[in-house]
Each structure stands twice: as C-alpha cells, then as structure tokens.
Amino acid sequence: MAEILPADKAMDRALALLGAGEVVAIPTETVYGLAGDAMNGEAVARIFEAKGRPRFNPLIAHVCDMAMAERIGVFDPLSRRLAEKFWPGPLTLVLPLREGAGIHPLTTAGLATIALRMPRGFGGELIARLGRPLAAPSANASGRISPTSAAAVAASLGGRIKLVVDGGAAPVGVESTIVKAEEGGLRLLRPGGIAAEEIEAAAGVKLLRGAAGVQAAVQAPGMLASHYAPQAAMRLHVGEVRPGEALLAFGPNRVPGWQQAVMMRNLSQSGDLREAAANLFAFLHELDSSGAATIAAEPVPMEGLGEAINDRLSRAAAPRDNGGGDA
Ligand code: TXA
Ligand code: MG
C-alpha cells in the first residue's frame, strides 16, 4: 500500500521518487493529481498504467512559474493576460507547444498543443524544487470519481503507487477550467474551478462554447460522456426522491420524499456554489458507499461554478458502456 505523508514531511521523498521516474499523488487546490515528470516517457506511461486509463489522453503539464510556462507553451496576449490574472489557480490554458520544449509526446498524446496549469501550494513548490514540469491527471482509477482527499486517493490507487502526499481537503473540489485561444476568440473546453463569467470578465470577450466541429472530440478527448462515474446509477434534476434512493441535495429546500432517502448529503445548505463544488466528489463518493442503487440529485443552478458542477453530474449520470474514457 502507498505511504501517506503529510505535505510538510513529504517533499524529500516526493522529489526522490519523481527524480527516479516514479509517480506520486499530490494535493492541488482543485483535486489530487497523480504526478510524474512530463519530460520522461516512462514516468508518464506509469501514470496511465496506475490509472488503468484505457487510452492515452493528453495530460496537463503543471508548472511553477511563468518562465517555465514560456519554455513550454507559446503564449498569445489573451492567454498571457489570463495566466497573469488566474495563476497560480484552477485555470488550464491550451497553447501551441513550443518546439524543443522537451515535453514527452505521451504527455501531449502527440498533439501540437499543450495544456498548462500553475497549481497553488505543495505542487508549485515541488515543481520548483524539481525544476521540471509535472504531468498530472486526477489521481483516481480511470472512470471513477476524482479524489479531493488523500484517503480517497489511497482507496482508489493505493495498491498501485508508492506515495500519497496529504495536503488535506482540496479547497476548490472540481478540476480546473480549460480554455483555448483560437482564431476568433477563446473557447471553453471544460468548465471548472473558475467560473466562465470570471474568465469572460478578465478576458473582455465572451467564451465560445460547444463543439467546434469534429475537432472537439479530439481537442478534449478526456471529455467523454461516461466519467466521474459512481457505482450507483444517477438521476438528475429530480423533483422527488423515490424509495431506495440516496439524495444529493442542494440549498435550503428539500424535494418531496427526502425523508425516505437512504442517505442524504447537502452540497451547500445555504446554496453557495463554491461550497457545493468543494463538496461534490466527496459527497458522491459517500452516497455511493451507502450501497443505494440510485443517487438522486436535486437541481443545481447553471450560473458560476454551477456550470462545472452540472457538467460533472451529467457525466456521472451518462451511460457507462462507452469504453470508460477518463481524464
Ligand atoms: O484541476 C485539474 O485540472 C486536475 C489537477 C490534477 O490539476 N487535472 C486534471 O487532469 O483534471 P485530467 O487529465 O483529468 O484532465 C485534463 C483534461 C482532459 O480532458 C484532456 O483531454 C484535456 O485536459 N487536455 C489535455 N491536453 C489537451 C490539449 N492539448 N488540447 C485539448 N485538451 C487537452
Ligand atoms: Mg480526471
């Protein structure tokens, strides 16, 4: 089983493992990541292997400062402005990959673009000490709920990795927002920890949304429908709780039948979408362990972080027979 070390005692061990091409689960402000040297193909292959990921989706390369970011990606003015505003933080920018950057093609899945993010906290310090970017998808077995605690990582991957760094509960709770500057604007590839409205305000442009032709599927191959899947089936935007269901509630008012839920978790009693995002994956996990055949979810409004929450809920509810693509 993986060793679990608190963040303030884990730095040397994490550096030794990463330097040897091993993988380490690390806390970030969004979710826990399974990190490996983005320039070392064997390390990146170990990430896919440990996750049991069915295919090689491109990964996010995590950096510690703008100098490292500029060595890897080619920034346009809009992307630079967003980096200045939101980094370190839950924003991922997809940029043209700089020639000779040394990023292993397994990290990018051979694409000519690279997804870059500067995380807050332990990860940033680790990358600075290592002096190399870290590729890191969420630290869960493929197709399962993203982990927001060291215990959740250990439950999912503990038998397959050597070290989990414990940084406490991930404060944001959903993955980073992914955007890509392209001709004619800025495209939202994945809603996430920074609300689309905030990005629009900083960029001064509306985000383009939805499929950009057939390219879309290739652009974010991790964005397959069946994702973040609990064992239980999911029913969304419910108007009532049916017998035997577990309830994922939101806000101060309950749907009829809530008293008969086999278990209930409220994402945010006060209706705060940030609090709800931070609780989402942990509560799905808890409701799933109740053994209920179905998790009923009350409606969550589509504004602010509600977009990312609804995105993850609809993926959790999607049919599971599509090959289990995961990000
Ligand atoms: O918050 C996060 O972003 C977390 C933490 C650990 O940093 N990471 C994360 O990574 O969610 P992952 O691998 O689960 O999701 C990365 C997403 C996938 O949907 C992938 O397809 C997309 O980023 N992606 C990576 N490179 C891309 C590229 N060059 N173009 C378009 N999408 C890309
Ligand atoms: Mg993931």
Side-chain angles (χ1 to χ4, degrees), residues 26 28 30-34 51 53 57-60 62 90 92 94-95 107-108 111-115 117 119 136-140 146 174-178 180 189-190 218-223 227-228 326-327:
I26 61 167
T28 87
T30 56
V31 299
Y32 276 68
L34 183 61
K51 280 181 69 83
R53 203 181 246 201
N57 291 334
L59 303 177
I60 297 170
H62 297 71
T92 294
V94 174
L95 302 169
T107 301
T108 54
L111 296 174
T113 52
I114 179 90
R117 176 163 109 77
S138 49
N140 51 284
S146 292
V174 290
E175 298 87 343
S176 59
T177 303
I178 306 180
K180 181 184 186 193
L189 297 184
R190 176 176 76 181
V218 187
Q219 284 200 327
M223 299 290 288
H227 198 163
Y228 311 101
D326 169 63

